[in-house]
């Protein structure tokens, strides 16, 4: 049994607007054990980034969060936390768009050094040294020279690595990563994935790893949660979910992804309109686009129910799906 | 009808320190070579993928193509006509780009609808009542719900912003679309519709596509031809199927080996040894030799030429096009 590092219960994000409130994150519950990596995949716009930002108390103005957030303290006891007190060493974050997240007036090395200094009470010199070491660790070539570059002088992938280095500098107990490797070529990506796995295995860092790249999640993550329209629709061990999906949305995602080992025909997208947080359909929110939809789906609870050991699905007809894919 | 795109001896260098400051400090002025002599032509309607390590110059090439980055040397031609450094509105419309970092390229003070409408207006592509209809149509093309029209970029998710970037580029009905990591932030299903949309535009309008991506699965699906870059230069330029089934350059081989696959565990695959060299001090001979497991003395001394059976089937490796056992 691993000890839980982070627990989130019934998280809801409310967006106020003149036409009334909407709920882009609408009842998300999750837990991450020490040394465990939870992958989150899912629809673009389903609320993945807002979930991570809410955990760290970094929601943009106009959005508010409710729900229970708990973090393990030094002795492993779960307790509610004040987000501003845990940012950095408690919970670190790698943001989705590095250019907007990096301070344009700070050189790459200083940015990482600042994070190292705040955390480790290092001297200026020692922290600068540490920054170069961290940049090297995340695969920045010529790290010494790159440390002096401004963000606008760096390529997309270099910026992304600077962000990862800055997050690691504080040695967080829980690390939230939002699409951290999209701008990296596969060999550097592989190096970063190995580094993250090593941090989890050797330092017990718990992680949430948001990505659209299912093969990457398959390689890195212990468990996966698939999100659609503000909620998780399927959760379980990565291998179980990706080889035996029990929700039609997960199955559709797997069908839509191209393969590097063969050139396919036309890719299979999902037909129909994407959901709008201001007017989610009643019952199952995937129903209007679901190939298996039946009348009773309009009254389905749209909540994760256990379907097998450690495997949950929000589809009331998940048993049909099993027949179909078999 | 669209036209042939040609790039001749393109070079982009960034001085890291101004020459004057360097002299004052008594140091040499350092120069970073981002693009190091690229030449290629793309026939109308072809889809060319550009892949390669992070920082090898892909976005810099893209910015040159659309006229946002002045090359240090070389030129770009479209339909035989040299594109000037200062592009006219008409030239700009012919080559459009989807940017890698969508938020830094979207105006934060405008709603999506205003931004698209203004663009259509400036280029005189729609008037009056048509504008609204065209904006709605563009959003539908990239699978965004209609209410997004009234939103500001900051109210959107990463993938939604990326799709606004795609809609904006397509609004101008360009002949050449340069897509820089244009589908990286999209879930597989939306990615599938965008890639299908690109294919349809190519078939219907003869759109030429320059597809920059780290996602080799997407590349295999989209590209007729693939160019692999390493440290500012093209090291392999081949028809897509030949490249994926019979890569000739060891760097290409390393990329294909490292591509994540659903049934792979982390750590199974060999990773490339060493770290990429600094673009400030390029290695002698073959630029890949310090990391190449096949390198021989010749590779350390002489730079290989990009050559092969044809102008679109070439590799820059002394040991390419030989039997594998000979390469060992
Ligand atoms: N500041 C905001 N105000 C209002 N709505 C917002 C705001 N930020 C995001 N949203 C909306 O909330 C929903 C969820 O956004 P979020 O960024 O969490 O999506 P995501 O799952 O991370 O998507 P992606 O994969 O595209 O990054 C989206 O529909 C988005 O339009
Ligand atoms: N304005 C600039 N000043 C100095 N160096 C720059 C500038 N712009 C880019 N560079 C450098 O030029 C090189 C090529 O950058 P480019 O953005 O073209 O890479 P890329 O291939 O797109 O990489 P990625 O896959 O990470 O996006 C990098 O080393 C980058 O740091
Ligand atoms: Mg996001
Ligand atoms: Mg780039």
């Amino acid at each position: 049994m691993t000890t839980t590092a982070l627990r989130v219960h019934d998280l809801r994000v409310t967006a106020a607007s003149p036409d009334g409130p909407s709920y882009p994150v609408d009842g998300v519950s999750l837990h991450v054990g020490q040394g465990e990596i939870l992958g989150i995949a899912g629809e673009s716009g389903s609320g993945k980034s807002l979930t991570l930002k809410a955990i760290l108390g970094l929601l943009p103005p106009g959005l508010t969060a409710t729900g229970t957030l708990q973090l393990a303290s030094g002795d492993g006891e779960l307790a509610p936390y004040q987000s501003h007190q845990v940012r950095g060493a408690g919970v670190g974050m790698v943001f989705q768009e590095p250019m907007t997240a990096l301070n344009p007036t700070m050189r790459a090395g200083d940015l990482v050094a600042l994070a190292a200094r705040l955390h480790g009470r290092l001297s200026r010199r020692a922290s600068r040294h540490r920054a170069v070491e961290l940049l090297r660790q995340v695969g920045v070539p010529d790290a010494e020279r790159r440390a002096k570059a401004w963000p606008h002088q760096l390529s997309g992938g270099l910026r992304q690595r600077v962000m990862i280095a800055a997050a690691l500098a504080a040695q967080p107990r829980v690390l939230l990563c939002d699409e951290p490797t999209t701008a990296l070529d596969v060999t550097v990506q592989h190096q970063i994935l190995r580094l993250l796995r090593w941090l989890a295995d050797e330092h017990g860092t718990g992680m949430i790893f948001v990505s659209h790249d299912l093969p990457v999640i398959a390689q890195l993550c212990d468990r996966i949660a698939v999100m659609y329209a503000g909620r998780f629709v399927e959760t379980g061990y990565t291998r179980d979910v990706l080889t035996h999906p029990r929700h039609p949305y997960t199955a559709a995602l797997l069908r839509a992804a191209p393969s590097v080992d063969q050139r396919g025909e036309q890719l299979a997208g999902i037909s129909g309109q994407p959901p709008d947080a201001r007017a989610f359909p009643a019952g199952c929110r995937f129903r209007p686009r679901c190939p298996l939809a039946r009348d009773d789906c309009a009254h389905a609870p749209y909540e994760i129910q256990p379907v097998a050991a450690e495997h949950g699905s929000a589809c009331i007809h998940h048993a049909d799906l099993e027949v179909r894919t078999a | 009808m669209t036209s042939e795109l040609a790039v001749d001896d393109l070079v982009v260098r960034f001085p890291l320190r101004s020459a004057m400051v360097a002299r004052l400090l008594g140091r040499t002025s350092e120069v970073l070579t981002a693009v190091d002599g690229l030449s290629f032509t793309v026939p109308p309607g072809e889809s060319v993928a550009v892949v390669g390590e992070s920082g090898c110059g892909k976005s810099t090439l893209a910015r040159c193509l659309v006229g946002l980055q002045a090359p240090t040397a070389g030129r770009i031609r479209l339909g035989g006509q040299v594109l000037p450094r200062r592009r006219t509105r008409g030239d700009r419309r012919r080559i459009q780009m989807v940017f890698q970092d969508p938020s830094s390229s979207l105006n934060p003070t405008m709603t999506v609808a205003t931004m698209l409408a203004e663009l259509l207006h400036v280029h005189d592509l729609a008037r009056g009542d048509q504008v609204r209809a065209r904006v709605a149509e563009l959003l539908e093309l990239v699978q965004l719900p209609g209410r997004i029209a009234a939103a500001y970029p900051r109210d959107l998710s990463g993938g939604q912003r990326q799709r606004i970037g795609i809609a904006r580029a397509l609004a101008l009905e360009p002949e050449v679309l340069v897509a820089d990591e244009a589908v990286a932030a999209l879930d597989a299903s939306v990615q599938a519709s965008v890639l299908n949309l690109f294919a349809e535009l190519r078939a219907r309008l003869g759109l030429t596509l320059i597809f920059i991506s780290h996602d080799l699965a997407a590349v295999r699906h989209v590209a007729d031809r693939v160019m692999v870059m390493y440290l500012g230069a093209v090291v392999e330029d081949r028809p897509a199927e030949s490249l994926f089934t019979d890569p000739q350059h060891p760097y290409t081989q390393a990329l294909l080996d490292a591509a994540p696959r659903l049934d792979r565990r982390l750590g199974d695959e060999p990773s490339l040894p060493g770290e990429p060299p600094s673009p400030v001090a390029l290695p002698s001979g073959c630029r890949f030799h310090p990391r190449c497991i096949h390198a021989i003395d010749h590779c350390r001394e002489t730079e290989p030429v990009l050559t092969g059976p044809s102008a679109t089937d070439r590799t820059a490796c002394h040991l390419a096009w030989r039997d594998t056992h000979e390469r060992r």
Side-chain angles (χ1 to χ4, degrees):
Chain A
M1 216 9 240
T2 53
T3 32
T4 305
L6 171 76
R7 206 175 79 94
V8 173
H9 184 71
D10 205 19
L11 178 70
R12 192 178 238 225
V13 174
T14 309
S17 87
D19 337 327
S22 65
Y23 307 97
V25 176
D26 190 22
V28 162
S29 299
L30 60 84
H31 57 95
V32 182
Q34 284 175 10
E36 185 181 51
I37 308 185
L38 169 70
I40 302 184
E43 190 219 348
S44 166
S46 60
K48 304 180 296 295
S49 298
L50 291 182
T51 298
L52 297 195
K53 286 179 185 165
I55 291 174
L56 256 190
L58 291 177
L59 287 174
L63 302 185
T64 49
T66 58
T68 317
L69 301 173
Q70 293 174 307
L71 195 66
S73 55
D75 53 10
E77 203 74 17
L78 279 177
Y81 59 87
Q82 295 290 316
S83 45
H84 65 270
Q85 285 171 350
V86 302
R87 258 174 242 153
V91 186
M93 176 139 176
V94 178
F95 291 89
Q96 185 169 8
E97 285 173 57
M99 198 51 187
T100 9
L102 292 178
N103 181 346
T105 65
M106 268 176 96
R107 292 177 194 266
D110 295 343
L111 235 137
V112 181
L114 181 67
R117 191 156 77 234
L118 289 179
H119 171 65
R121 309 231 163 79
L122 297 177
S123 71
R124 224 163 249 278
R125 242 184 91 152
S127 66
R128 211 167 282 160
H129 205 76
R130 174 98 183 103
V132 172
E133 192 183 296
L134 280 160
L135 288 173
R136 202 168 285 139
Q137 216 176 16
V138 296
V140 170
D142 208 5
E144 206 124 349
R145 198 182 329 241
R146 291 306 195 171
K148 293 183 203 135
W150 302 102
H152 79 269
Q153 297 178 319
L154 299 175
S155 76
L158 286 165
R159 281 176 209 153
Q160 211 162 38
R161 278 171 277 174
V162 170
M163 280 254 300
I164 297 174
L168 296 185
Q171 300 182 321
R173 274 174 288 142
V174 173
L175 183 62
L176 312 178
C177 300
D178 199 353
E179 302 273 2
T181 62
T182 41
L184 304 178
D185 65 85
V186 287
T187 65
V188 176
Q189 171 173 282
H190 184 238
Q191 185 180 352
I192 299 278
L193 297 184
R194 287 229 288 230
L195 176 66
L196 294 179
R197 193 66 253 181
W198 177 82
L199 283 170
D201 293 345
E202 300 300 317
H203 290 261
T205 313
M207 289 181 211
I208 301 183
F209 186 94
V210 171
S211 174
H212 288 300
D213 197 329
L214 297 176
V216 165
I217 290 193
Q219 285 188 312
L220 179 72
C221 302
D222 304 296
R223 286 186 296 118
I224 182 175
V226 179
M227 196 162 179
Y228 187 85
R231 271 192 207 167
F232 289 165
V233 293
E234 185 162 4
T235 55
Y237 287 115
T238 312
R239 187 161 289 220
D240 295 348
V241 172
L242 295 183
T243 53
H244 298 288
R246 293 295 201 92
H247 194 283
Y249 177 67
T250 315
L253 272 188
L254 284 162
R255 268 199 307 274
S259 152
V260 69
D261 293 312
Q262 73 197 46
R263 177 168 195 155
E265 299 297 307
Q266 175 104 344
L267 294 173
I270 303 176
S271 58
Q273 280 292 310
D276 181 342
R278 294 223 204 126
F280 284 139
C284 171
R285 293 176 189 170
F286 188 54
R287 171 175 54 98
R289 308 173 77 189
C290 181
L292 303 180
R294 300 204 213 132
D295 290 347
D296 53 353
C297 298
H299 314 289
Y302 202 58
E303 267 163 24
I304 294 266
Q305 312 282 347
V307 297
E310 303 286 323
H311 195 159
S313 165
C315 177
I316 56 170
H317 296 298
H318 62 85
D320 296 5
L321 191 75
E322 199 178 17
V323 176
R324 280 233 184 164
T325 48
Chain B
M1 228 355 250
T2 59
S3 338
E4 179 183 84
L5 173 72
V7 170
D8 307 320
D9 290 317
L10 192 72
V11 176
V12 180
R13 296 207 174 93
F14 296 109
L16 289 185
R17 224 185 249 138
S18 82
M20 192 182 80
V21 173
R23 232 176 304 138
L24 287 174
L25 292 171
R27 307 207 188 121
T28 50
S29 60
E30 293 183 320
V31 173
L32 182 149
T33 307
V35 171
D36 195 15
L38 291 188
S39 296
F40 58 87
T41 54
V42 183
E46 192 174 51
S47 139
V48 182
V50 182
V51 303
E53 38 137 24
S54 164
C56 70
K58 302 178 298 294
S59 297
T60 307
L61 164 66
R63 294 169 62 83
C64 288
L65 291 177
V66 295
L68 286 174
Q69 170 71 52
T72 311
R75 53 184 199 167
I76 289 156
R77 288 174 292 138
L78 189 59
Q81 171 202 349
V82 176
L83 292 176
R85 288 205 180 165
R86 287 219 149 188
R87 305 269 168 103
T88 63
R89 189 181 299 156
D91 291 336
R92 281 208 305 271
R93 190 184 146 190
R94 294 174 74 192
I95 309 189
Q96 278 292 308
M97 170 158 170
V98 183
F99 293 87
Q100 182 169 10
D101 206 330
S103 25
S104 49
S105 65
L106 298 178
N107 184 337
T109 66
M110 273 192 208
T111 64
V112 169
T114 322
M115 188 192 67
L116 290 175
E118 195 175 277
L119 199 64
L120 294 169
H121 180 75
V122 167
H123 289 268
D124 206 13
L125 289 166
R127 288 209 176 140
D129 298 345
Q130 292 172 328
V131 174
R132 223 167 200 249
R134 181 78 183 128
V135 168
E137 192 180 287
L138 284 165
L139 293 181
E140 205 180 309
L141 273 184
V142 293
Q143 289 221 324
L144 285 172
R147 62 118 184 149
I148 295 280
Y152 289 91
R154 63 163 185 277
D155 304 334
L156 301 178
S157 79
Q160 289 167 340
R161 275 196 288 262
Q162 201 172 38
R163 279 175 277 171
I164 298 299
I166 297 173
R168 184 176 62 174
L170 293 180
L172 300 188
E173 298 160 29
E175 294 173 45
V176 179
L177 180 68
V178 184
D180 194 357
E181 293 291 351
V183 295
L186 305 179
D187 66 68
S189 137
V190 178
Q191 176 178 323
S193 6
V194 170
L195 296 184
N196 289 340
L197 172 67
F198 287 169
E200 192 188 317
L201 292 173
R202 286 180 56 215
R204 259 201 359 228
L205 309 171
L207 177 81
T208 304
L209 181 64
I210 311 289
F211 187 79
I212 298 173
S213 179
H214 289 302
D215 183 341
L216 297 171
V219 164
R220 183 155 196 182
H221 185 80
V222 164
D224 301 326
R225 168 181 167 197
V226 182
M227 295 203 289
V228 182
M229 284 180 72
Y230 187 81
L231 271 183
V234 171
V235 295
E236 184 154 5
D237 175 10
R238 312 266 310 281
E241 275 316 288
S242 323
L243 182 118
F244 278 99
T245 50
D246 177 32
Q248 289 297 326
H249 199 282
Y251 177 64
T252 312
Q253 183 70 58
L255 280 184
L256 297 183
D257 287 347
R261 289 166 169 87
L262 271 175
D263 53 2
R264 276 259 191 91
R265 297 296 301 167
L266 195 60
D268 290 355
E269 61 273 55
S271 75
L272 203 55
E275 60 171 42
S278 156
V280 177
L282 297 179
S284 66
C286 171
R287 60 192 69 220
F288 186 63
H289 91 253
R291 309 177 74 190
C292 183
I293 49 170
H294 305 294
I296 53 174
D297 285 347
H298 189 43
C299 306
R300 291 180 254 282
E301 289 145 15
T302 316
E303 182 166 8
V305 194
L306 188 61
T307 180
S310 85
T312 54
D313 201 359
R314 359 174 242 172
T315 298
C317 173
H318 293 306
L319 302 172
W321 315 107
R322 300 194 189 177
D323 287 341
T324 338
H325 68 267
E326 240 183 289
R327 255 189 261 163
R328 296 272 160 192

